[in-house]
Amino acid sequence: MVTPVVFRAGCPDCRARFELPAAALRLAIGGSAHTTFYSFTCPECDSAVRKPAGERIVELLTEGGVRTLRLHSTV
């Protein structure tokens, strides 16, 4: 039996701390550190949260099964 992966997160608006399943997170990978982020909706206050994702966070989220969107440059 496989244990579902959960991620610890926090909301900058209401300051709640909680755990989210991989399905509740989205990862966007852009061409730079400024355009790579993960997002989720706070289960406490329903705020849309977007946080930067460095290389280690990207690795953990992708290995944990978080859906990933690759952003492409229009230039």
Side-chain angles (χ1 to χ4, degrees), residues 5-68:
V5 176
V6 293
F7 297 92
R8 288 187 208 148
C11 178
D13 291 339
C14 71
R15 301 284 188 218
R17 305 220 33 93
F18 39 81
E19 291 183 342
L20 295 171
L25 295 151
R26 300 290 177 270
L27 174 63
I29 299 176
S32 71
H34 298 291
T35 57
T36 300
F37 60 91
Y38 65 99
S39 60
F40 57 90
T41 300
C42 176
E44 298 294 322
C45 71
D46 211 31
S47 290
V49 178
R50 178 175 159 165
K51 294 188 175 188
E55 289 182 31
R56 182 68 179 141
I57 297 295
V58 169
E59 182 181 333
L60 290 170
L61 294 176
T62 53
E63 287 177 0
V66 172
R67 275 190 266 174
T68 303

